Amino acid sequence: MFAIQVSSAQKSALKNFPQGYTPQEVGKRLAYRFVDGKHMLHGGKWISYPETFNWMGALKYAAITRDTQLVRLLQNKFEPLFTTEKALLPPMNHVDLNMFGSLPLEFYRVTNEQRYFDLGLPYADTQWILPQNASAQQKAWDEKGLSWQTRLWIDDMYMITIVQTQAYKATKNRKYIDRAAKEMVLYLDSLQRPNGLFYHAPDVPFYWGRGNGWMAAGMTELLTNLPKNSEYRPRILKGYLTMMNSLKNFQNKGGIWNQLIDDPACWAETSGSAMFTFALISGVKHGWLNAKEFGPVARKAWLGLIPYINAQGAVTEVCVGTNKKNDKQYYYDRPRNVGDYHGQAPYLWCTRALLDD
């Protein structure tokens, strides 16, 4: 009884926020803002992954708060993708495009409409169906039971994880989440550094914030949904815990993290910080992290994020899309966007995590 009371008291660090900081208020501002937002297209052609994740964040917020009006508005926004905007549906030929399937699969879970399932599931399936024009490297990955879309880029571990996890949740078929978990173990073994963080790439020895955020969020999604008896769970949990302990040490005075995580002179960046906050909140809520130690860390992070939302509900200080480059100054000089979906989306993930029991 005493142990339960202590745990409950520490988790209370993630409740009782001041006015303007509650997940209900923040989620509503950001979700309704998305309804009226313009498409953010990949290459000017297809619905992009930042838009996909913002849309899904808004939908998950709507579902947990039982905001039927918001669900309907988000459905209305999606409806043209079945008809007049069908050309904006991403092709199923790249890791950054296949993840789109996670969104219609979430609509299926919320509405139980079969057409969303039929649209979404092929994006998960084709990630493991070797195309006829596959390269020798892609064939090699496939022979190992891995996705032919494997690149060993750290952002892949959210892109692959989310669509496979959504397919598992929609079908209850273990193959989807098991193969995502196997993929995650490969990435952890290949890319995670001894301090728990990740270089942007093996030849780029910098701890870029949002890149690390994708890994943190991907591990969080897997640990949330992976069956307890999964052979991959211990390795993923180890990678997650190592990363969270490192992030705790690099949290800046304002509560968030810098564009280069380990560089106190670099500017504070919101999208990666929100992804870390999502991972920390989830860890405390699910009991993977010691609530007494990490509850205050997660609370400080959430409180630190909210001042970066402007009066229009747009998140500021969001690093633009960033390719790897072995040049530290390059990361310092990256432009910063306002209202970029890279930043809006993980803020919504945080609201969902805070509202979850």
Side-chain angles (χ1 to χ4, degrees):
M1 179 79 69
F2 177 73
I4 293 173
Q5 289 173 343
V6 170
S7 175
S8 177
Q10 297 305 331
K11 288 184 181 179
S12 69
L14 300 180
K15 297 179 179 179
N16 303 318
F17 294 103
Q19 185 177 356
Y21 289 75
T22 69
Q24 293 89 342
E25 292 171 281
V26 175
K28 187 172 184 178
R29 287 179 67 197
L30 271 60
Y32 275 92
R33 183 181 192 278
F34 174 75
V35 169
D36 296 324
K38 296 179 179 179
H39 287 313
M40 180 179 178
L41 300 181
H42 181 105
K45 298 179 179 180
W46 310 296
I47 301 297
S48 65
Y49 67 79
E51 179 173 356
T52 297
F53 297 147
N54 197 357
W55 215 325
M56 194 156 72
L59 184 57
K60 287 186 174 184
Y61 168 81
I64 199 169
T65 57
R66 296 181 173 85
D67 188 336
T68 55
Q69 178 187 359
L70 179 56
V71 171
R72 185 170 60 253
L73 290 171
L74 293 168
Q75 279 188 278
N76 292 344
K77 188 179 178 77
F78 193 96
E79 190 63 27
L81 293 175
F82 286 112
T83 55
T84 56
E85 293 183 348
K86 197 170 183 178
L88 298 182
L89 292 174
M92 304 174 197
N93 61 8
H94 190 276
V95 65
D96 287 346
L97 299 173
N98 275 67
M99 55 76 234
F100 171 79
S102 61
L103 176 58
L105 287 172
E106 185 64 20
F107 269 113
Y108 169 70
R109 294 184 67 243
V110 171
T111 68
N112 206 32
E113 291 187 28
Q114 185 67 31
R115 60 182 183 149
Y116 291 116
F117 179 92
D118 295 340
L119 176 60
L121 194 63
Y123 282 93
D125 287 335
T126 53
Q127 206 161 45
W128 257 261
I129 298 175
L130 193 68
Q132 291 185 345
N133 63 345
S135 67
Q137 181 60 73
Q138 290 168 340
K139 291 177 181 177
W141 291 126
D142 179 70
E143 289 171 1
K144 295 177 181 178
L146 298 162
S147 172
W148 64 273
Q149 295 183 356
T150 302
R151 302 180 300 177
L152 293 179
W153 289 25
I154 49 180
D155 48 331
D156 297 352
M157 277 300 91
Y158 192 78
M159 309 302 165
I160 293 174
T161 290
I162 195 62
V163 68
Q164 298 301 321
T165 298
Q166 289 287 98
Y168 166 67
K169 289 161 73 174
T171 65
K172 309 304 180 187
N173 189 331
R174 276 281 294 266
K175 76 173 183 181
Y176 292 108
I177 200 156
D178 282 346
R179 64 195 189 185
K182 180 178 180 179
E183 192 87 20
M184 176 64 80
V185 169
L186 168 72
Y187 276 65
L188 287 170
D189 289 346
S190 301
L191 299 175
Q192 192 170 35
R193 310 303 299 171
N195 68 357
L197 301 181
F198 298 81
Y199 287 159
H200 195 173
D203 58 341
V204 182
F206 304 115
Y207 299 121
W208 176 48
R210 188 165 65 242
N212 277 264
W214 292 123
M215 288 296 311
M219 286 190 284
T220 299
E221 290 287 351
L222 275 178
L223 291 170
T224 300
N225 296 285
L226 196 61
K228 294 293 190 291
N229 64 355
S230 169
E231 64 181 291
Y232 306 110
R233 189 176 183 89
R235 176 66 184 93
I236 297 170
L237 182 59
K238 178 183 177 182
Y240 167 87
L241 293 174
T242 306
M243 186 182 205
M244 294 304 108
N245 275 286
S246 186
L247 288 172
K248 177 170 64 73
N249 295 328
F250 288 116
Q251 188 176 31
N252 67 29
K253 292 181 179 179
I256 65 173
W257 287 265
N258 293 349
Q259 161 81 339
L260 293 175
I261 298 170
D262 62 335
D263 187 347
C266 204
W267 49 279
E269 199 277 335
T270 52
S271 67
S273 294
M275 293 178 187
F276 299 149
T277 306
F278 164 66
L280 287 161
I281 293 167
S282 300
V284 172
K285 289 287 191 84
H286 289 286
W288 315 323
L289 296 173
N290 180 284
K292 182 177 181 180
E293 181 180 0
F294 284 91
V297 176
R299 181 181 181 87
K300 181 179 180 181
W302 176 245
L303 294 175
L305 285 170
I306 305 310
Y308 289 93
I309 304 174
N310 68 18
Q312 290 72 46
V315 176
T316 62
E317 298 296 298
V318 181
C319 178
V320 299
T322 296
N323 288 320
K324 65 175 186 174
K325 188 173 184 179
N326 195 354
D327 176 7
K328 190 173 186 178
Q329 192 62 39
Y330 167 76
Y331 293 89
Y332 268 78
D333 294 342
R334 296 304 288 153
R336 312 173 204 183
N337 277 348
V338 176
D340 190 307
Y341 290 165
H342 282 97
Q344 303 287 127
Y347 270 67
L348 281 166
W349 305 345
C350 289
T351 67
R352 173 65 173 79
L354 286 168
L355 291 167
D356 205 4
D357 292 331

